[in-house]
């Protein structure tokens, strides 16, 4: 069996690394697929040719992204048949009410503030994982 | 002034009405000396036609004319909106003309010239009216121009203001999104070094990394403060009647719960009613009371009082304490963001409490000031209108 995926849409390479680090500390063994911009993520996620492919268990995305920003990507994903029901968690630095409201209006499943502190980042990702990932701890043995 | 006049004004028009061509020629010749455009009419009817087509600064009308005489013409002029105010100089042959009652005498300027005409007298009288006309035109023009300029200025300012608002909005958007990411890296990678390379770091190395992490956290708080302040200026006001006494009691209750060991006498006047945004007024009172609470922490028998005082028919609410106070010399720095009058080791604080208070008061159109003495306490007064 293949590893279930988490798709991360994040343009900041440092944040990518920190999230990867945090997920590994949390022992989340999902395959982390990273996209730097909304367009690439959209292409990957809505590619119907890969229908047989396992759908990602979680999409974690930033709001401020190059080419297609987070809100537009969200809108697109919610209109596509393939991605309509995938869990999407917005993971952004912004505390602005406008960002939060718009995200929920466009169909985000959760808006989680990306914390500054690494300890807090760990806790945050842990709670996201507990809630949204089906194969939380069981996957590690099924591979290799 | 004269230059100005020349730059825009057209030459004033003057209408001469007489049935005798030689009189018209003589008068026209006389007026050559003045800067006027002379129009002539040989009868009252002809004059009325010209009056409808042109704007005259002055009319000289012969009283004795066949068909329509000068007074009849004048009466028609006075009863017509367009010609009502054109000054009239009647040219008369003798006193008996003047005795006739002229209706509409009161409406516009009227003067008389008696035959035989003396050039100096004619010129003098005409000049007075022409000057008056020119001055009136100049004033109108100046007024029109000033209005136009004002309108343009208002448009410019409105545009500038909108641009500035957009700028602030995109600035704070960028602050909330971009300015924090580097902090996450500072904290995250320092933490990674501390855990993954623990055995390679001595105590000093660990201390430095901890300092980096503390600084990142501090900067994150500063960003929060900045965004909060800039948001205060943009937020829409939701004015209603608010009971400041109840708000103050709620806040004090919270403060007492957070530090139950402190024994502070708090005295809040009842029914302090104010008009304002409930959320903002809560924040205002919270900041002032937190300050009083904080700065009485080293006072032997701390006392906080909340009340109202009327000065020059304006109501000023106040929060008074007998705490650390401050030197009035620095009073103007009190309300600046990130400006502190106490060291962080003495009393903790972010340095935006009073800046927040000041902005909230300003949003309500009120005033705030403080009275204080070192180690005797401080009183903050504010109005909300």
């Amino acid at each position: 069996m293949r590893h279930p995926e988490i798709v991360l849409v994040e343009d900041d390479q440092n944040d990518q690394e920190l999230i990867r680090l945090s997920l590994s500390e949390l022992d989340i063994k999902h395959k982390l697929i990273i996209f730097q911009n909304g367009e690439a993520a959209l292409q990957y996620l809505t590619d119907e040719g890969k229908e047989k492919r396992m759908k990602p268990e979680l999409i974690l995305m930033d709001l401020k992204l190059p080419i297609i920003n987070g809100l537009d990507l969200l809108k697109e994903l919610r209109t596509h048949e393939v991605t309509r029901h995938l869990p999407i968690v917005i993971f952004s630095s912004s505390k602005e009410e406008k960002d939060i409201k718009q995200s929920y209006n466009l169909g985000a499943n959760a808006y989680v503030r990306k914390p500054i502190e690494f300890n807090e980042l760990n806790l945050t990702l842990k709670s996201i994982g507990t809630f949204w990932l089906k194969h939380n701890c069981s996957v590690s043995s099924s591979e290799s | 002034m004269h230059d100005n006049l020349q730059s825009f004004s057209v030459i004033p028009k003057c209408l001469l009405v007489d049935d005798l061509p030689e009189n018209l020629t003589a008068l026209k010749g006389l007026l050559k000396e003045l800067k006027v455009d002379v129009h002539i009419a040989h009868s009252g009817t002809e004059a009325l036609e010209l009056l409808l087509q042109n704007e005259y600064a002055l009319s000289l009308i012969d009283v004795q004319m066949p068909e329509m005489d000068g007074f009849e013409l004048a009466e028609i002029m006075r009863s017509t909106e367009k010609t009502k105010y054109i000054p009239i100089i009647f040219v008369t042959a003798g006193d008996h003309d003047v005795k006739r009652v002229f209706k509409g005498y009161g409406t516009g300027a009227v003067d008389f010239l008696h035959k035989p005409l003396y050039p100096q007298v004619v010129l003098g009288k005409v000049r007075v009216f022409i000057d008056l006309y020119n001055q009136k035109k100049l004033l109108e023009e100046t007024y029109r121009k000033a209005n136009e300029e004002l309108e343009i200025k208002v448009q410019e300012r409105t545009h500038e203001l909108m641009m500035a608002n957009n700028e602030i909005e995109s600035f704070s958007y960028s602050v909330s999104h971009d300015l924090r990411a580097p902090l996450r890296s500072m904290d995250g990678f320092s933490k990674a070094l501390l855990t993954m390379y623990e055995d390679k770091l001595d105590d000093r190395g660990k201390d430095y990394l901890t300092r980096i992490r503390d600084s990142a956290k501090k900067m994150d708080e500063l960003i929060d403060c900045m965004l909060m302040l800039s948001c205060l200026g943009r937020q829409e006001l939701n004015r209603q009647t608010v009971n400041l006494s109840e708000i103050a009691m709620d806040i004090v209750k919270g403060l007492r719960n957070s530090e139950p060991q402190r024994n502070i006498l708090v005295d809040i006047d009842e029914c302090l009613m104010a008009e304002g945004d409930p959320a903002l007024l809560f924040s205002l009172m919270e900041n002032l009371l937190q300050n009083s609470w904080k700065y009485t922490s080293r006072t032997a028998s701390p006392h906080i009082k909340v009340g109202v005082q009327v000065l020059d028919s304006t109501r000023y609410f106040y929060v008074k304490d007998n705490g650390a106070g401050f030197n009035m010399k620095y009073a103007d720095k009190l309300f600046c963001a990130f400006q502190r009058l106490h060291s962080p080791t003495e009393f903790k604080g972010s340095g935006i409490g009073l800046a927040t208070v000041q902005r909230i008061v300003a949003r309500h159109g009120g005033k705030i000031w403080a009275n204080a003495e070192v180690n005797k306490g401080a009183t903050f007064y504010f109005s909300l209108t």
Side-chain angles (χ1 to χ4, degrees), chain B residues 313-329:
Chain B
S313 68
T314 303
R315 271 151 45 95
Y316 289 96
F317 300 98
Y318 64 85
V319 176
K320 183 185 175 84
D321 67 62
N322 61 346
F326 58 85
N327 188 335
M328 281 299 281
K329 205 163 78 181

Side-chain angles (χ1 to χ4, degrees), chain A residues 60-79:
Chain A
L60 206 55
M61 66 156 114
D62 196 5
L63 277 187
K64 210 175 169 219
L65 293 165
I67 312 175
I68 297 179
N69 72 33
L71 290 177
D72 288 337
L73 175 61
L74 185 57
K75 211 189 295 173
E76 286 287 334
L77 290 177
R78 282 300 176 239
T79 54

Side-chain angles (χ1 to χ4, degrees), chain A residues 31-50:
Chain A
K31 191 173 166 195
L32 187 65
I33 303 183
I34 300 174
F35 295 98
Q36 320 266 359
N37 65 65
E39 196 184 36
L42 184 66
Q43 213 167 20
Y44 175 80
L45 288 165
T46 57
D47 184 353
E48 288 174 40
K50 293 182 184 164

Side-chain angles (χ1 to χ4, degrees), chain B residues 78-212:
Chain B
R78 285 294 179 259
S79 62
T80 311
E81 200 55 44
K82 188 172 188 277
T83 55
K84 214 177 206 167
Y85 301 104
I86 298 175
I88 298 170
I89 299 179
F90 290 113
V91 183
T92 69
D95 281 346
H96 64 278
D97 283 344
V98 186
K99 283 180 196 131
R100 183 169 156 189
V101 183
F102 159 53
K103 283 184 236 160
Y105 204 98
T107 320
V110 171
D111 205 343
F112 294 89
L113 276 171
H114 301 279
K115 287 176 187 171
L117 298 178
Y118 296 100
Q120 293 317 25
V121 179
V122 174
L123 280 176
K125 287 200 177 193
V126 172
R127 191 177 282 129
V128 168
F129 285 107
I130 297 296
D131 282 353
L132 268 174
Y133 177 82
N134 282 338
Q135 273 167 21
K136 186 179 137 217
K137 284 278 141 187
L138 176 67
L139 275 176
E140 280 174 5
E141 181 69 7
T142 316
Y143 179 71
R144 193 185 59 78
K145 266 194 181 159
N147 259 348
E148 247 172 36
E149 274 163 27
L150 199 68
E151 183 58 32
I152 291 172
K153 254 192 198 136
V154 167
Q155 281 178 5
E156 276 173 9
R157 289 286 147 82
T158 312
H159 183 70
E160 277 168 26
L161 212 65
M162 272 174 58
M163 295 289 284
N165 254 345
N166 287 344
E167 187 95 345
I168 292 172
E169 202 135 315
S170 66
F171 172 76
S172 60
Y173 184 79
S174 152
V175 167
S176 12
H177 285 264
D178 302 331
L179 229 57
R180 291 189 207 271
L183 298 176
R184 195 155 36 241
S185 292
M186 283 163 65
D187 185 78
F189 293 118
S190 303
K191 174 76 198 329
L193 279 175
L194 280 168
T195 46
M196 293 159 75
Y197 299 88
E198 199 192 357
D199 50 336
K200 294 201 170 74
L201 285 165
D202 61 7
D203 284 350
R204 187 189 260 197
K206 284 175 196 159
D207 175 46
Y208 286 175
L209 285 169
T210 309
R211 282 171 194 251
I212 292 175

Side-chain angles (χ1 to χ4, degrees), chain A residues 12-15 17-18 21 25 62-64 92-96 98-99 111 113-119 121-122, chain B residues 169 172-174 176-178 180-189 191-192 195-196 213 216-217 220 224 227 234:
Chain A
D12 187 309
Q13 304 207 351
N14 290 329
D15 279 358
E17 180 59 24
L18 288 171
L21 196 63
E25 275 190 22
D62 196 5
L63 277 187
K64 210 175 169 219
S92 159
S93 299
S94 170
K95 282 181 189 170
E96 298 237 345
K98 202 174 72 186
D99 289 326
Y111 186 104
R113 206 192 151 226
K114 212 191 290 173
I116 298 301
E117 275 188 280
F118 188 74
N119 293 341
L121 184 75
N122 268 349
Chain B
E169 202 135 315
S172 60
Y173 184 79
S174 152
S176 12
H177 285 264
D178 302 331
R180 291 189 207 271
L183 298 176
R184 195 155 36 241
S185 292
M186 283 163 65
D187 185 78
F189 293 118
K191 174 76 198 329
T195 46
M196 293 159 75
R213 299 189 68 194
K217 197 175 169 189
D220 186 41
D224 278 348
L227 286 176
R234 289 178 287 142

Side-chain angles (χ1 to χ4, degrees), chain A residues 121-135:
Chain A
L121 184 75
N122 268 349
L123 290 173
T124 307
L125 284 172
K126 189 178 171 188
S127 67
I128 291 176
T130 315
F131 192 87
W132 295 104
L133 301 177
K134 280 174 276 175
H135 302 87

